[in-house]
Amino acid sequence: MMTRSIGGRDVPPDLAQWGLHAFALGARSTPQAVVAMDDNGVLLYRARHGVTLDQLAAQGVTASQSQLALLRAYGLIAIDGDRIGTAFPVVGPEVLGPLRPRVRRFAADLVPRISGEVAAIAAELRRRGHAGHDYTVVFGHAVDGLLWDRLRELGMSPSTELSIDRPYWNGAFWALYPPIRGAAGVNEDAGAEAALVMVWSDATGEALWDLARSEAGRALMDDPTGQTDIPVLAPHDGDALHRHSMGIADTIARVLGSDPQARALLDAIPDATPQESTLIVAHELIWELMEALVAADLLQPPPGLRGQAAESLTEQLLLRLHPRD
């Protein structure tokens, strides 16, 4: 497939080859798979600024009625007369090229505001005998966990509740190019008593899922008491790990909502609602913030997140107890 050059960078004219992100808690089905079907990604790329069926046909893209119905059912297109447009932000290198260095500077400026909480988490983990888990707790519980809850509580992210109009997913969806490569991510699996929080990399994601689904992994989630290899966190203020993680999440959320530098970053996202812009910038920010914390020598990633051979994956794990009524 031919690529198109934007700002000196070759960009695939197929959104299925872009970075696709969904904020859609509780979704029955998220849009990524629909974008990847047939030539949906090509159609959506052509429609990002609006296009007619005749224009699509002239560009070699034939859109069937069933195809358009599926895209519309998933909230991926809007149709106005004979004109079709994408119904989600499409953020290419002409935006991300200048934006990402600004996000990086913003992340560095944010480090002093959360450094005390990060240090307190590290100290508490050392007290508990889990000195190697500070990166996992800060990223897996605070920065890529509680932050999203806090943004929702402050009205800075959209509702993800399903409805008759949005039966498959609700929330926000966006496409980015170039995608972020090699960044850590967070997955969870839940048992009877706790959720196993896994901070993964491309090199360790599959092995972590294998562990979660193993007999040993199920035993950890069904009865976390007594084990000593993985920190166990209770989601209430009486647990220092959770309390300081909430402090980090609250600081980031409030800065995103009030800081002039953050406002300028949000305003740089085109064709997005304020809530969508917040989520897009926040997703860019979380990885830059973790890099900034590492650069400030406040955190050290586990070997498995640095592309190094790891004897054990336990430093990439955290057990979070289920809330009690």
Side-chain angles (χ1 to χ4, degrees):
M1 178 180 291
M2 294 293 291
T3 58
R4 179 186 175 197
S5 180
I6 298 179
R9 182 185 292 272
D10 288 337
V11 178
D14 179 350
L15 292 191
Q17 298 179 32
W18 289 39
L20 302 176
H21 301 271
F23 178 81
L25 305 175
R28 293 192 178 98
S29 174
T30 54
Q32 285 94 326
V34 175
V35 176
M37 290 173 58
D38 303 321
D39 62 350
N40 285 346
V42 175
L43 188 156
L44 290 166
Y45 178 84
R46 303 286 184 184
R48 68 196 189 284
H49 301 308
V51 68
T52 67
L53 288 175
D54 288 342
Q55 288 171 332
L56 283 173
Q59 297 167 17
V61 180
T62 302
S64 68
Q65 289 303 309
S66 61
Q67 183 179 14
L68 294 176
L70 178 63
L71 292 172
R72 196 172 189 178
Y74 270 80
L76 296 176
I77 59 171
I79 300 177
D80 183 9
D82 66 347
R83 195 165 185 82
I84 303 163
T86 57
F88 57 92
V90 178
V91 188
E94 72 281 5
V95 174
L96 291 178
L99 181 71
R100 282 177 170 160
R102 294 168 60 196
V103 172
R104 191 171 302 120
R105 291 192 294 271
F106 180 53
D109 292 343
L110 189 54
V111 165
R113 305 193 196 193
I114 63 171
S115 58
E117 304 281 16
V118 172
I121 287 172
E124 174 65 13
L125 285 167
R126 287 196 301 271
R127 188 188 70 80
R128 298 187 187 189
H130 298 296
H133 289 78
D134 49 351
Y135 188 101
T136 292
V137 172
V138 171
F139 185 63
H141 188 57
V143 175
D144 198 18
L146 293 174
L147 172 60
W148 312 117
D149 297 335
R150 197 71 189 103
L151 290 175
R152 185 169 58 251
E153 292 164 0
L154 294 171
M156 297 169 64
S157 64
S159 170
T160 60
E161 186 175 348
L162 300 181
S163 66
I164 294 175
D165 292 333
R166 302 299 297 264
Y168 304 115
W169 71 278
N170 196 15
F173 178 70
W174 63 96
L176 297 176
Y177 197 87
I180 295 175
R181 304 290 188 189
V186 177
N187 285 327
E188 294 187 10
D189 200 9
E193 295 294 327
L196 185 64
V197 180
M198 300 168 276
V199 176
W200 58 268
S201 63
D202 290 339
T204 61
E206 185 175 349
L208 286 167
W209 271 121
D210 288 344
L211 172 62
R213 292 163 178 158
S214 69
E215 185 175 343
R218 302 313 305 177
L220 284 173
M221 291 179 273
D222 290 342
D223 183 13
T225 59
Q227 69 81 31
T228 59
D229 293 332
I230 303 168
V232 179
L233 177 153
H236 56 68
D237 284 347
D239 187 303
L241 294 179
H242 179 74
R243 184 171 66 253
H244 293 299
S245 293
M246 277 297 301
I248 291 171
D250 186 64
T251 296
I252 298 170
R254 291 189 180 280
V255 168
L256 282 170
S258 62
D259 189 278
Q261 189 179 357
R263 174 51 53 193
L265 294 173
L266 300 183
D267 289 344
I269 306 296
D271 303 320
T273 67
Q275 292 176 330
E276 289 170 337
S277 295
T278 298
L279 290 174
I280 292 168
V281 170
H283 270 85
E284 293 287 312
L285 176 64
I286 61 174
W287 293 301
E288 293 293 353
L289 181 58
M290 296 307 295
E291 289 297 315
L293 289 168
V294 172
D297 204 27
L298 291 168
L299 291 175
Q300 188 65 243
L305 293 179
R306 298 196 301 264
Q308 301 175 4
E311 294 183 5
S312 170
L313 297 177
T314 56
E315 289 185 352
Q316 294 174 231
L317 300 173
L318 165 70
L319 281 163
R320 187 185 67 243
L321 299 177
H322 296 320
R324 299 296 184 189
D325 295 332

